[in-house]
Amino acid sequence: MEQPLNVAVIGAGIAGLSAAGELSRAGAHVTLFDKSRGPGGRTATRHAPPFDFDHGAPGFEAHDPAFIADLERLGCAARWTARTAEIHADGRLTNARDVTLWVGVPGMNAIAKALAAPFDIELRTRIAALTPCEGRWTLAADSRRSFGPFDAVVVTPPPEQSAALLASAGLGDLARDVARAAMSPCIAGLLGFESAVPLPYDVGVSAQGVIAVATRNSGKPRRPTGESWVVHAAAQWSNEHFFDDDSALAAALTDAWRAVAPSTADPMHVSVHRWRYARATTPLSGPLADASTSIVVCGDWTHATTGVEGAWLAGREAAIRLTSITRP
Ligand SMILES: Cc1cc2nc3c(=O)[nH]c(=O)nc-3n(C[C@H](O)[C@H](O)[C@H](O)COP(=O)(O)OP(=O)(O)OC[C@H]3O[C@@H](n4cnc5c(N)ncnc54)[C@H](O)[C@@H]3O)c2cc1C
C-alpha cells in the first residue's frame, strides 16, 4: 500500500491550519509546528479577567462559500453586526452604519483551535532551519530538537521569517521572491473599563490620529461582561514607536484614547502588544513553490484578499499546489 505523504507545516495560524486541513483531506499525514503556546497566530485572544481582548484581528469579512461553510461547520465563529463610524480629529463622526463581520466565539482564537483539533501540533517549537536529507527535509528547532524527515514542507511565517528559513535550506531564489512581500506593523492597546463606555459605535476608524481602529471587544457575541476595547495604532505611528517601552506606549495610547473619547472615564486596565508583522501591504499573487524540493510558502501575504480570509484561501491554494507537485 502506498505510504501517505508526510508533510510538515510550519506555523499554526489560519494559513497553516487551512493547508493542513486540505492536505489531510487529500490523504497526507500532517504535523504542525508553532513557536507560540497555542495555535492562531494573529487571530489571538488575551484573557485578563474580567476582560478579554482580541488583540490581533478584531473580526473579518468572509465571502468565499467554502470558507463560510468551514466556519459554520466548526461552530467556532459568529456574525457580529457592529455599529461603525469614522472618527475625525475635531470629534465629528461620519459615515455611521452597521457592518456585519465574522468573529471567533468566544474569542478570535477559537477559530484556530477548532481548525487545529484533528492535528498533531508541536507548540512552543520555533523552527530555525530546514535541512535536506536524501530528497526529504529535516526541521531543526531552537531547542536543538530535530523533526522528520518529511516528504514536503509548507512554510507560513511572515515573509521576512519565511525568507530566513528558506535561505537556511539553500533556497536563495525562493527566499528573494518571498522577500518581495511587505507587511506593516501595529501596536495594540488593550483597554479595560469599570463600566460601559458611552460611545455611539462599536468600531471606530480614523485616518488621522494615533489610533487607526478602536473596537469594543466586549460588544462581540459571547464575550465576558467586563467592558473592553482594543485600539490598533496607525502603521506609521507603530513603526516610529515600536521599540518604546511598554509604559510609554500605554501612556501614549491612553492619551490617544482620551482624544477619541474625550468625555469618557479612563481605563482601569491598560496593556500593550507589538505586532511586528500585522497586515500585508504588498501581497504576492499566489503561493510560492519550489517544485524540485516539495516546499510551498504561503500566508495572508500570498493572497490578494489578505486578512483572515486571504490566509485561509492561501493555505488551501498552497495545499493544492503541493499535492500537484508531489503526485507521482
Ligand atoms: C493588529 C491586527 C489587526 C488585524 N486586523 C484584521 C482585520 O481587520 N481583518 C482581517 O481580515 N485581518 C486582520 N488582521 C490580519 C489577520 O490576523 C491575518 O491576515 C491572519 O491571521 C494571518 O494568518 P497567517 O496564518 O497567514 O499568519 P499568522 O497568523 O502570522 O501565522 C503564522 C504562524 O507562524 C508561527 N511562526 C512564525 N515563525 C515560526 C517559526 N520559525 N517556527 C514555528 N512557528 C513560527 C507564528 O507563531 C504564527 O502562529 C489583523 C492582524 C493584526 C495583527
Side-chain angles (χ1 to χ4, degrees):
M1 205 172 80
E2 200 185 310
Q3 289 287 328
L5 195 71
N6 190 20
V7 184
V9 176
I10 304 175
I14 299 297
L17 290 165
S18 161
E22 191 70 29
L23 285 163
S24 168
R25 283 188 288 278
H29 178 266
V30 180
T31 308
L32 288 123
F33 298 86
D34 203 290
K35 64 184 169 75
S36 302
R37 281 181 302 158
R42 283 172 273 155
T43 51
T45 304
R46 191 182 293 175
H47 305 289
F51 309 113
D52 266 10
F53 302 100
D54 298 320
H55 54 296
F60 56 92
E61 291 187 19
H63 303 284
D64 182 85
F67 181 40
I68 293 171
D70 225 14
L71 295 172
E72 288 177 340
R73 177 180 61 82
L74 293 166
C76 57
R79 289 179 175 89
W80 177 41
T81 300
R83 297 168 297 157
T84 67
E86 283 171 32
I87 312 165
H88 296 269
D90 58 8
R92 272 180 319 118
L93 296 178
T94 59
N95 204 13
R97 64 202 171 99
D98 285 353
V99 171
T100 299
L101 298 170
W102 283 92
V103 294
V105 286
M108 281 299 288
N109 62 354
I111 299 170
K113 282 186 184 166
L115 289 169
F119 296 107
D120 298 331
I121 309 190
E122 295 285 347
L123 294 168
R124 295 188 176 91
T125 304
R126 185 182 166 278
I127 300 302
L130 303 176
T131 313
C133 166
E134 295 172 1
R136 301 164 88 198
W137 291 98
T138 304
L139 275 53
D142 268 355
S143 57
R144 304 221 179 133
R145 286 179 71 198
S146 70
F147 300 89
F150 295 97
D151 302 315
V153 184
V154 180
V155 179
T156 78
E160 200 171 310
Q161 297 166 350
S162 285
L165 278 171
L166 296 166
S168 80
L171 300 171
D173 287 348
L174 199 53
R176 271 185 291 282
D177 288 344
V178 161
R180 286 189 290 111
M183 309 286 288
S184 61
C186 178
I187 295 172
L190 289 55
L191 313 181
F193 295 85
E194 185 84 54
S195 57
V197 171
L199 288 172
Y201 54 82
D202 304 307
V203 179
V205 295
S206 170
Q208 295 146 348
V210 171
I211 294 174
V213 184
T215 306
R216 191 190 305 265
N217 206 81
S218 46
K220 298 176 195 175
R222 291 182 46 197
R223 266 43 181 190
T225 47
E227 175 85 1
S228 61
W229 285 71
V230 174
V231 294
H232 284 138
Q236 190 182 335
W237 189 90
S238 298
N239 206 22
E240 288 164 5
H241 294 271
F242 202 79
F243 297 105
D244 292 3
D245 65 33
D246 281 10
S247 55
L249 289 176
L253 290 172
T254 303
D255 281 350
W257 169 262
R258 290 188 191 116
V260 166
S263 50
T264 63
D266 276 355
M268 59 185 270
H269 168 106
V270 183
S271 53
V272 298
H273 185 89
R274 295 169 185 74
W275 295 102
R276 178 78 264 176
Y277 310 105
R279 303 299 307 261
T281 50
T282 312
L284 306 180
S285 58
L288 300 164
D290 184 292
S292 62
T293 54
S294 302
I295 287 195
V296 180
V297 195
C298 71
D300 59 338
W301 48 277
T302 65
H303 200 283
T305 306
T306 72
V308 175
E309 182 172 44
W312 189 89
L313 293 167
R316 188 178 63 170
E317 280 181 359
I320 293 168
R321 186 82 181 271
L322 188 61
T323 309
S324 73
I325 293 171
T326 52
R327 194 172 286 135

